[in-house]
Amino acid sequence: MSEKITDLALEIRESFPRNNVEIKGVVLEKRYDEEGKAHITTVHIKDERGSRAMGKPKGCYVTIESEDMPRDDISKENLLMCICRELEHMVDGLRQKSVLVAGLGNRQVTSDSLGPRMVECIFVTRHFGREFGEEFMRTNEYGDVSAIAPGVMAQTGMEAVEVLEGIVKKTSPEVVIVVDALAARSMSRLCTTVQITDTGISPGSGIGNHRRALSKKSLGVPVIAIGVPTVVDAKTIISDHLEKVLTKQGYNEDEIDKFIKEVFQDEMDNLYVTPKNIDESIAIIAKDLAKVLNHCLQKKVSRS
Amino acid sequence: MSEKITDLALEIRESFPRNNVEIKGVVLEKRYDEEGKAHITTVHIKDERGSRAMGKPKGCYVTIESEDMPRDDISKENLLMCICRELEHMVDGLRQKSVLVAGLGNRQVTSDSLGPRMVECIFVTRHFGREFGEEFMRTNEYGDVSAIAPGVMAQTGMEAVEVLEGIVKKTSPEVVIVVDALAARSMSRLCTTVQITDTGISPGSGIGNHRRALSKKSLGVPVIAIGVPTVVDAKTIISDHLEKVLTKQGYNEDEIDKFIKEVFQDEMDNLYVTPKNIDESIAIIAKDLAKVLNHCLQKKVSRS
Amino acid sequence: MSEKITDLALEIRESFPRNNVEIKGVVLEKRYDEEGKAHITTVHIKDERGSRAMGKPKGCYVTIESEDMPRDDISKENLLMCICRELEHMVDGLRQKSVLVAGLGNRQVTSDSLGPRMVECIFVTRHFGREFGEEFMRTNEYGDVSAIAPGVMAQTGMEAVEVLEGIVKKTSPEVVIVVDALAARSMSRLCTTVQITDTGISPGSGIGNHRRALSKKSLGVPVIAIGVPTVVDAKTIISDHLEKVLTKQGYNEDEIDKFIKEVFQDEMDNLYVTPKNIDESIAIIAKDLAKVLNHCLQKKVSRS
Amino acid sequence: MSEKITDLALEIRESFPRNNVEIKGVVLEKRYDEEGKAHITTVHIKDERGSRAMGKPKGCYVTIESEDMPRDDISKENLLMCICRELEHMVDGLRQKSVLVAGLGNRQVTSDSLGPRMVECIFVTRHFGREFGEEFMRTNEYGDVSAIAPGVMAQTGMEAVEVLEGIVKKTSPEVVIVVDALAARSMSRLCTTVQITDTGISPGSGIGNHRRALSKKSLGVPVIAIGVPTVVDAKTIISDHLEKVLTKQGYNEDEIDKFIKEVFQDEMDNLYVTPKNIDESIAIIAKDLAKVLNHCLQKKVSRS
């Protein structure tokens, strides 16, 4: 079968022929968040067998899909709060921890600019203590938040993981939250779906660049990854469409495979399908994710 | 047959079943430019019959395709000079005329930003006379060049043609040169092909937005349009691929048509296929086209 | 006396030796807006005599100075609503009129980019009727708003007034609102003061470039100008400081004049004093002014 | 004496009353570079006594002042090559070393954006070995260059020195070259003068922010700093002008000091004087410095 490209654990799970059959080592859980009007799916990869079947590291992958793009401010706010809750659920006592937020990707490439743009809107407070005194920090209940866009190898000559390893060693955050643009299989998920996982991230893994992973193993502290699909690989979307049609026409799996190989030519590599308004969508989501993080990491703690 | 989207007269001509059969009212001419290492194709639409067959206004459409993207500076320079020659060939005495250069499109949408970005690099000289005196102009042999990016309706509430009509009426240029991003059918033409035409342009015509044309008729002076393909409509590229495969498999035209309709769903509308490096490519081409225009419109005239 | 540069009628008025003496043909009115916590000063230039004394065209200049930069959202909102009220007060039935908003200045020069940045945030609706039908317009009570950034002569080769004259003639708005960055004399007014006037504007007049005016006379419809000081001319601020000190030390006016001339050298021309955070301040004010205009021009009208 | 702000060792040296008197521990050397048409001044601070007198760390400060801004390409090229020579002179065998280039400053603040903008134009090659094999590196004689813009504390919550310490530890470059915008005392030096020093840099030292130094001591490898003045502190320029005038008028040093203190008010803090074209100038110099570094770090080595 020709390789399908997606960064969403949910979509990998969906690609198994019969969706409701159990895959050993993988637990699927769906629920509906009433307030956020969002479908929340959790894929737990429990053991090595599940990891092999899914082609993803062990851990917990939460996908938040909004029913439709909220147009009014209140629905939007509700959806963002729903993302907050899932994030807080994943890290015990997140609000009390020192956090480094890292925006992965290339600021100069629109579809890859989500992380760096998000970082520009993060409210950083790690230096407040040093600048204004610990008393100021306590009174104002600020979190301990730092943020960086480590860039991509073509810009820096260094892997994002090298840059972040160095910074984490030096500044000792307790948690790292990385934000990245993902590849999806379904157009309808572009800029509408958020995946949160406790497994960290392999930069560019979804689109075929195998770099070293950003994970607890490499950075030494828990790494939460937040991703939003911004591109669909052209080959993937086309073969998905073809499969459906050919299956209906009675082709078998081998024939379908052969047919699809014939359709593709080399010039289809490195091509993405994007909606026309991708520039605007990414600008909005970058701000929204920053809003979520600023809320989670800075909210006033009720103390008794 | 499902609608194919392209702004290149050359690709419309190619789409006719047998390429070498004559279409009444349309004259095709191919040559090779030795210095620029470029294939130059001219499509002359001679009369109403040709115009109907091609779905394009009467006039002359010149397409310049570079053999491969020139990597060294000298080959690049040669290609740009080749574009200059074609442009000068199309307008008699271009260098002596007062010219308004208009960069169409939306600066905020990467694939549509070619025109506005190009305008930022145009060397404007129309005001030099007023500022520094006519003597200064004569001594330095400056052209009479003004430039504007009229924006798109969603930004201004006005059609580009309304904005340009007003400005042309007020500032009376003798020629208008509009630059715009186009849609092509072939991925290999993205950011590598230039079309120059004396028919003006219908903003967005290639991608289904029917706005009023920018032409000699609307503006009152000759309108030269320069376009470079920056997007391929997702439906178009997929159906092109399918057609080839299905034809090979012995499907007839009706069957192919039916098959393709089944493949598409509504969610495929307004989707474009772009190469990953589109941001960078557009930045480069915008500067290259400005270089071509600055050369053509400002070059020293040998006087005896 | 060495030339003092300011675009604020209020500052010209203040420069008269004894502030409370009446200048013939000029009426000064001060009040305090309780809700907006803003000082509002109106300078009416009533006749030619006043115009000569002030060096400004006849008309009404309203200056809104906020007591201090509002930090919380509600105070900010109140201040913006106060600006709305002054604007509506200046144009009868503004909400019902078709309006062209023009953002003057150079997007590439930080201190001059207020107008173009503001225009990017204007909600344009002029084309909605054509696109979605008059019924849609009526139901949704949209205003009739178009917007443009005409650029500066060094970018376009055309004067802003030429570009706007052409567009106004073609699209026939009933009112033109121009927004521009101004020069002030006092640092404390940078990015904190708004001047609204019914006299239009002379682009660059405050900083010594004498271009043709944008006014009812040139455009044929009422021209409201909204300006915010973003720079202080270096010579102006220095001579203001010196004057104060030298006066205290008993120097007479001639001596002061001579002293100041000696301090300045040619290298002090074309120099501006700006606060370090000018980039951020301008980004904020551009959005705020757009918010004011979007509110005034689109607010729901209660109909009986 | 009121504090004068400058980052240029040359200007500190000039500020000593009698320029040609020897300062113990400081050696001054002037020469003229014929090819680059540049005045080159070297200030060697030899010992602690010199360091105290100058208020700068021990080391070598080379200032390159172009006679006038070169307008044609060849003169410009010559000047840039002259900067290359001074840089190579400071680091033995620079071309053979692995180098991390760091662009300091805030990308969002025009006058502080020189470093980050320069970094965007650096040709990074450190990863080529890993990506394409050592053979490829040897054949093409690429240098080993990485690059980063560490941001400023208000954006990241971390000091630039923390970020760079981490990265240097992890990626082990042999030399770090930092590029930063400086403050000068003289307007005529803005964007026309380059200072190269082997002492590293104290971010923001010239404008009053005392951060930890970037130096061999903190980073563990030699740190070369390249700086270009982009701002003049408003107080500094004004007091310089006043001093000249008052001295001529026969005031003594104490009187001058008192006079200047009276002129200044609190609102003069954090104010900079900039030329109107600062945005454009910084864009040009960022590219020029990147060109210098790309040349020095990648030039073909003649091998026998």
Side-chain angles (χ1 to χ4, degrees):
Chain A
M1 174 74 60
S2 63
E3 198 190 359
K4 300 301 182 42
I5 290 175
T6 177
D7 288 312
L8 296 176
L10 171 62
E11 289 189 335
I12 298 174
R13 183 63 187 76
E14 287 171 349
S15 70
F16 286 91
R18 273 163 300 173
N19 202 16
N20 39 12
V21 154
E22 200 184 315
I23 303 171
K24 291 281 162 59
V26 178
V27 177
L28 190 72
E29 218 181 272
K30 284 166 186 281
R31 73 211 138 84
Y32 182 72
D33 185 283
E34 204 57 59
E35 269 177 279
K37 296 199 170 148
H39 294 279
I40 298 175
T41 313
T42 308
V43 177
H44 291 275
I45 303 183
K46 293 286 195 184
D47 54 26
E48 278 310 317
R49 201 170 33 172
S51 176
R52 270 195 308 277
M54 294 283 290
K56 287 247 167 205
K58 273 191 296 180
C60 178
Y61 301 81
V62 178
T63 310
I64 299 141
E65 296 171 89
S66 59
E67 241 174 1
D68 48 12
M69 276 307 265
R71 303 217 151 253
D72 63 296
D73 287 357
I74 291 170
S75 309
K76 174 91 162 261
E77 202 71 14
N78 285 341
L79 178 61
L80 298 187
M81 285 309 103
C82 165
I83 302 175
C84 282
R85 284 191 295 275
E86 295 304 317
L87 185 60
E88 289 167 343
H89 188 75
M90 200 167 267
V91 191
D92 269 354
L94 176 60
R95 175 58 180 81
Q96 271 74 36
K97 290 187 155 65
S98 60
V99 176
L100 171 63
V101 179
L104 306 185
N106 187 340
R107 182 69 173 84
Q108 313 297 323
V109 172
T110 305
S111 60
D112 200 29
S113 64
L114 174 65
R117 276 163 181 268
M118 180 273 316
V119 154
E120 290 171 12
C121 304
I122 289 295
F123 179 42
V124 296
T125 47
R126 176 178 176 270
H127 57 305
F128 279 9
R130 200 179 314 186
E131 299 252 292
F132 310 115
E134 289 306 325
E135 182 55 29
F136 176 84
M137 289 292 269
R138 262 193 308 278
T139 316
N140 290 280
E141 298 182 59
Y142 286 119
D144 178 336
V145 178
S146 51
I148 195 111
V152 296
M153 208 152 80
Q155 296 174 311
T156 65
M158 304 178 279
E159 287 198 53
V161 66
E162 291 180 291
V163 173
L164 291 178
E165 271 178 40
I167 293 172
V168 166
K169 199 144 205 172
K170 191 71 209 167
T171 65
S172 308
E174 292 163 288
V175 176
V176 173
I177 297 178
V178 295
V179 174
D180 200 7
L182 305 179
R185 284 176 65 167
S186 158
M187 288 305 304
S188 64
R189 287 206 171 98
L190 288 192
C191 301
T192 62
T193 292
V194 176
Q195 175 177 271
I196 307 176
T197 166
D198 58 6
T199 63
I201 210 163
S202 308
S205 71
I207 50 171
N209 303 319
H210 296 286
R211 303 259 191 265
R212 281 177 56 209
L214 281 162
S215 60
K216 183 164 185 182
K217 204 175 146 193
S218 59
L219 295 187
V221 295
V223 180
I224 304 300
I226 303 177
V228 174
T230 63
V231 289
V232 172
D233 175 70
K235 271 189 178 175
T236 300
I237 194 173
I238 298 173
S239 42
D240 277 358
H241 278 282
L242 283 179
E243 258 181 72
K244 272 187 232 161
V245 178
L246 294 171
T247 304
K248 262 206 295 190
Q249 302 204 342
Y251 283 59
N252 69 30
E253 211 170 294
D254 279 355
E255 287 165 335
I256 291 174
D257 212 20
K258 190 157 160 277
F259 189 105
I260 287 173
K261 282 217 178 82
E262 253 181 290
V263 172
F264 291 131
Q265 302 170 350
D266 291 347
E267 65 173 43
M268 292 296 289
D269 283 332
N270 266 320
L271 294 182
Y272 299 107
V273 179
T274 53
K276 199 188 173 182
N277 62 347
I278 181 73
D279 299 74
E280 192 189 0
S281 298
I282 286 191
I284 293 171
I285 290 171
K287 278 184 199 157
D288 284 344
L289 284 187
K291 213 169 169 183
V292 165
L293 289 176
N294 288 338
H295 180 83
C296 286
L297 302 176
Q298 303 292 350
K299 69 181 177 184
K300 299 294 176 245
V301 191
S302 55
R303 289 171 308 180
S304 52
Chain B
M1 173 74 58
S2 64
E3 196 190 0
K4 300 303 181 37
I5 290 175
T6 178
D7 288 312
L8 296 177
L10 171 61
E11 289 189 335
I12 298 174
R13 184 61 187 78
E14 286 171 350
S15 71
F16 285 90
R18 273 164 298 175
N19 201 15
N20 38 12
V21 155
E22 201 183 315
I23 303 170
K24 290 283 163 60
V26 178
V27 177
L28 190 73
E29 217 182 272
K30 284 167 186 278
R31 71 209 141 83
Y32 183 73
D33 183 284
E34 205 55 60
E35 268 178 279
K37 295 198 171 150
H39 294 279
I40 298 174
T41 312
T42 308
V43 177
H44 291 275
I45 303 183
K46 293 287 196 184
D47 55 25
E48 278 311 314
R49 199 169 36 171
S51 176
R52 271 195 307 276
M54 294 284 290
K56 287 247 166 204
K58 273 192 296 180
C60 177
Y61 302 81
V62 179
T63 310
I64 299 142
E65 295 172 90
S66 60
E67 243 175 359
D68 47 13
M69 275 307 264
R71 303 216 150 253
D72 63 296
D73 287 357
I74 292 170
S75 309
K76 173 91 161 263
E77 202 71 14
N78 285 340
L79 178 61
L80 298 186
M81 284 309 104
C82 165
I83 302 174
C84 282
R85 283 191 295 275
E86 295 304 319
L87 185 59
E88 288 166 344
H89 188 75
M90 200 166 267
V91 191
D92 269 354
L94 176 60
R95 174 59 179 81
Q96 271 73 38
K97 291 187 155 66
S98 60
V99 176
L100 171 64
V101 179
L104 306 184
N106 187 339
R107 183 66 174 86
Q108 313 296 324
V109 173
T110 304
S111 60
D112 200 28
S113 64
L114 176 65
R117 276 163 182 268
M118 180 275 314
V119 154
E120 289 172 11
C121 304
I122 289 294
F123 180 43
V124 296
T125 47
R126 177 177 176 270
H127 56 306
F128 280 10
R130 200 179 313 185
E131 299 252 292
F132 310 116
E134 289 305 326
E135 182 55 29
F136 176 83
M137 289 291 269
R138 262 193 307 278
T139 316
N140 290 281
E141 300 181 60
Y142 287 119
D144 178 336
V145 178
S146 51
I148 196 112
V152 297
M153 208 151 81
Q155 297 173 309
T156 63
M158 303 178 279
E159 287 200 54
V161 65
E162 290 179 293
V163 173
L164 291 178
E165 271 178 39
I167 294 173
V168 165
K169 198 145 204 172
K170 190 72 207 167
T171 66
S172 308
E174 291 162 291
V175 177
V176 173
I177 297 179
V178 296
V179 174
D180 200 7
L182 305 179
R185 285 177 63 167
S186 158
M187 289 305 303
S188 64
R189 286 205 172 99
L190 288 191
C191 302
T192 62
T193 291
V194 176
Q195 174 176 274
I196 306 175
T197 166
D198 58 6
T199 61
I201 210 162
S202 310
S205 69
I207 51 171
N209 303 319
H210 296 286
R211 304 257 190 266
R212 280 176 56 209
L214 281 161
S215 61
K216 183 163 184 182
K217 206 176 146 193
S218 59
L219 295 187
V221 296
V223 179
I224 304 300
I226 303 178
V228 174
T230 63
V231 290
V232 172
D233 174 70
K235 273 189 179 176
T236 300
I237 193 172
I238 298 173
S239 44
D240 277 358
H241 277 282
L242 284 178
E243 259 182 70
K244 272 188 233 161
V245 179
L246 295 171
T247 305
K248 262 206 294 190
Q249 301 203 342
Y251 283 59
N252 69 30
E253 211 170 294
D254 279 356
E255 289 165 336
I256 291 175
D257 212 21
K258 191 159 160 276
F259 189 106
I260 286 174
K261 283 218 177 81
E262 253 181 290
V263 172
F264 291 130
Q265 303 170 349
D266 290 347
E267 65 172 44
M268 292 297 289
D269 283 333
N270 265 322
L271 294 181
Y272 299 107
V273 179
T274 54
K276 198 187 175 184
N277 62 348
I278 182 72
D279 300 74
E280 192 189 0
S281 297
I282 286 190
I284 293 172
I285 290 171
K287 279 185 199 157
D288 284 343
L289 284 187
K291 213 170 168 181
V292 164
L293 289 176
N294 289 338
H295 179 83
C296 286
L297 302 178
Q298 301 292 351
K299 70 181 176 185
K300 298 294 176 246
V301 191
S302 54
R303 290 170 307 180
S304 53
Chain C
M1 176 73 59
S2 61
E3 195 190 2
K4 299 302 180 42
I5 291 175
T6 178
D7 288 311
L8 296 176
L10 171 61
E11 289 189 336
I12 298 174
R13 183 61 187 79
E14 287 171 349
S15 71
F16 284 90
R18 272 163 300 174
N19 202 17
N20 40 11
V21 154
E22 200 184 318
I23 303 171
K24 291 281 162 60
V26 178
V27 177
L28 190 72
E29 216 181 273
K30 285 167 186 278
R31 74 210 137 85
Y32 182 72
D33 183 284
E34 204 57 59
E35 269 177 278
K37 294 197 171 148
H39 294 279
I40 298 173
T41 313
T42 308
V43 178
H44 292 274
I45 303 184
K46 295 285 196 185
D47 54 26
E48 278 310 315
R49 199 168 36 171
S51 175
R52 269 195 310 275
M54 294 284 289
K56 288 246 166 206
K58 272 192 295 180
C60 177
Y61 302 81
V62 178
T63 309
I64 299 142
E65 296 171 89
S66 61
E67 242 176 359
D68 48 10
M69 275 307 262
R71 304 217 150 254
D72 63 297
D73 287 356
I74 291 170
S75 309
K76 174 90 161 261
E77 202 72 13
N78 286 340
L79 178 61
L80 298 187
M81 285 309 103
C82 164
I83 303 175
C84 282
R85 283 190 294 275
E86 295 304 318
L87 186 60
E88 288 166 343
H89 188 75
M90 201 166 267
V91 192
D92 268 354
L94 177 60
R95 176 58 180 81
Q96 271 74 38
K97 290 189 156 66
S98 59
V99 176
L100 171 64
V101 179
L104 305 184
N106 187 339
R107 182 68 173 85
Q108 313 297 322
V109 172
T110 303
S111 60
D112 200 27
S113 63
L114 175 64
R117 276 163 182 269
M118 179 275 315
V119 154
E120 289 171 13
C121 305
I122 289 295
F123 179 42
V124 296
T125 47
R126 177 177 176 270
H127 57 306
F128 279 10
R130 200 179 314 185
E131 299 252 292
F132 310 115
E134 289 305 327
E135 181 56 29
F136 175 85
M137 290 291 271
R138 260 192 308 278
T139 316
N140 289 281
E141 299 182 60
Y142 287 119
D144 178 336
V145 178
S146 51
I148 195 110
V152 297
M153 209 152 80
Q155 297 174 309
T156 64
M158 303 178 279
E159 286 198 54
V161 66
E162 290 179 292
V163 172
L164 291 178
E165 271 177 39
I167 293 172
V168 166
K169 199 144 206 171
K170 189 71 208 167
T171 65
S172 309
E174 290 162 291
V175 176
V176 173
I177 298 179
V178 296
V179 174
D180 200 7
L182 305 179
R185 285 176 64 166
S186 157
M187 288 306 303
S188 64
R189 286 206 172 99
L190 288 192
C191 303
T192 61
T193 291
V194 176
Q195 174 177 272
I196 306 175
T197 165
D198 59 7
T199 62
I201 210 162
S202 309
S205 71
I207 51 173
N209 303 318
H210 296 286
R211 304 258 190 266
R212 280 175 57 209
L214 281 161
S215 60
K216 182 163 186 183
K217 203 175 148 195
S218 59
L219 296 187
V221 295
V223 179
I224 304 300
I226 303 178
V228 174
T230 63
V231 291
V232 172
D233 175 71
K235 273 189 177 175
T236 300
I237 193 173
I238 298 172
S239 44
D240 277 358
H241 277 281
L242 284 178
E243 259 181 72
K244 272 188 233 161
V245 179
L246 294 170
T247 305
K248 263 207 294 192
Q249 301 204 342
Y251 283 58
N252 70 30
E253 210 170 298
D254 279 353
E255 289 164 335
I256 291 174
D257 211 20
K258 190 158 160 276
F259 189 105
I260 287 174
K261 283 218 179 82
E262 253 180 290
V263 172
F264 291 131
Q265 301 170 351
D266 291 345
E267 66 172 44
M268 291 298 288
D269 283 331
N270 266 320
L271 294 181
Y272 299 106
V273 179
T274 55
K276 198 186 176 186
N277 62 347
I278 182 74
D279 299 74
E280 192 189 359
S281 299
I282 286 190
I284 292 171
I285 290 171
K287 279 184 199 156
D288 285 344
L289 284 187
K291 214 169 168 183
V292 165
L293 289 176
N294 289 337
H295 180 83
C296 286
L297 302 176
Q298 302 292 350
K299 69 180 178 187
K300 299 292 175 247
V301 190
S302 54
R303 289 171 307 183
S304 52
Chain D
M1 175 75 59
S2 62
E3 196 189 359
K4 299 302 181 40
I5 289 177
T6 177
D7 289 310
L8 295 176
L10 171 61
E11 289 189 336
I12 298 173
R13 183 62 188 77
E14 287 171 349
S15 71
F16 285 90
R18 273 163 298 172
N19 201 16
N20 40 12
V21 155
E22 200 182 319
I23 302 171
K24 290 282 161 58
V26 178
V27 177
L28 190 72
E29 218 182 271
K30 284 167 185 278
R31 73 211 137 83
Y32 183 72
D33 183 284
E34 205 56 58
E35 268 177 279
K37 293 198 172 148
H39 295 280
I40 298 174
T41 313
T42 309
V43 178
H44 291 273
I45 302 183
K46 294 286 196 184
D47 54 26
E48 279 310 316
R49 201 170 33 172
S51 175
R52 271 194 308 275
M54 294 283 291
K56 287 248 167 204
K58 271 193 296 180
C60 178
Y61 302 81
V62 178
T63 309
I64 299 142
E65 296 171 89
S66 60
E67 245 177 358
D68 47 11
M69 276 307 264
R71 304 216 149 252
D72 63 297
D73 288 357
I74 292 170
S75 310
K76 174 92 161 263
E77 202 72 13
N78 286 340
L79 178 62
L80 298 186
M81 286 308 103
C82 165
I83 302 174
C84 282
R85 283 191 295 275
E86 295 305 318
L87 185 60
E88 288 166 344
H89 188 74
M90 201 166 268
V91 191
D92 269 354
L94 177 61
R95 176 58 180 81
Q96 270 74 37
K97 291 188 156 66
S98 60
V99 176
L100 171 63
V101 179
L104 306 184
N106 188 339
R107 182 68 173 86
Q108 313 297 323
V109 172
T110 303
S111 60
D112 200 28
S113 64
L114 176 64
R117 276 162 181 269
M118 180 275 314
V119 154
E120 289 172 12
C121 304
I122 290 295
F123 180 42
V124 297
T125 47
R126 176 178 176 270
H127 57 306
F128 279 10
R130 200 179 313 185
E131 299 253 292
F132 310 115
E134 289 305 328
E135 182 56 30
F136 176 84
M137 289 292 270
R138 262 194 306 279
T139 314
N140 289 281
E141 300 182 58
Y142 287 119
D144 178 336
V145 178
S146 51
I148 195 109
V152 298
M153 208 151 80
Q155 297 173 310
T156 65
M158 303 178 279
E159 286 199 53
V161 66
E162 290 180 292
V163 173
L164 291 178
E165 270 178 40
I167 293 173
V168 166
K169 200 145 205 170
K170 190 71 207 165
T171 65
S172 308
E174 292 162 290
V175 176
V176 172
I177 298 177
V178 296
V179 174
D180 201 7
L182 306 179
R185 285 176 64 167
S186 158
M187 288 306 302
S188 64
R189 287 206 171 99
L190 288 192
C191 303
T192 61
T193 291
V194 176
Q195 174 176 273
I196 306 176
T197 166
D198 58 7
T199 62
I201 210 162
S202 309
S205 70
I207 52 171
N209 302 319
H210 296 286
R211 304 260 190 264
R212 280 176 56 209
L214 281 161
S215 61
K216 183 164 185 183
K217 203 176 150 194
S218 60
L219 295 187
V221 296
V223 179
I224 305 300
I226 303 177
V228 174
T230 63
V231 290
V232 172
D233 174 71
K235 272 190 178 173
T236 300
I237 194 172
I238 297 173
S239 44
D240 278 358
H241 277 282
L242 283 179
E243 259 181 69
K244 272 188 233 160
V245 178
L246 295 170
T247 305
K248 263 206 294 190
Q249 302 204 342
Y251 283 58
N252 70 30
E253 210 169 297
D254 278 355
E255 290 165 335
I256 290 174
D257 212 21
K258 189 157 160 278
F259 189 106
I260 287 174
K261 281 218 179 81
E262 253 181 291
V263 172
F264 292 129
Q265 302 170 350
D266 291 346
E267 66 172 42
M268 291 298 287
D269 283 331
N270 266 321
L271 293 182
Y272 299 106
V273 179
T274 54
K276 198 186 175 184
N277 62 347
I278 182 73
D279 299 74
E280 191 189 1
S281 299
I282 286 190
I284 292 171
I285 290 170
K287 280 185 198 158
D288 284 345
L289 284 187
K291 213 169 169 182
V292 165
L293 289 175
N294 288 338
H295 180 83
C296 286
L297 302 177
Q298 302 291 351
K299 69 180 176 186
K300 299 294 174 246
V301 190
S302 53
R303 288 171 309 181
S304 51

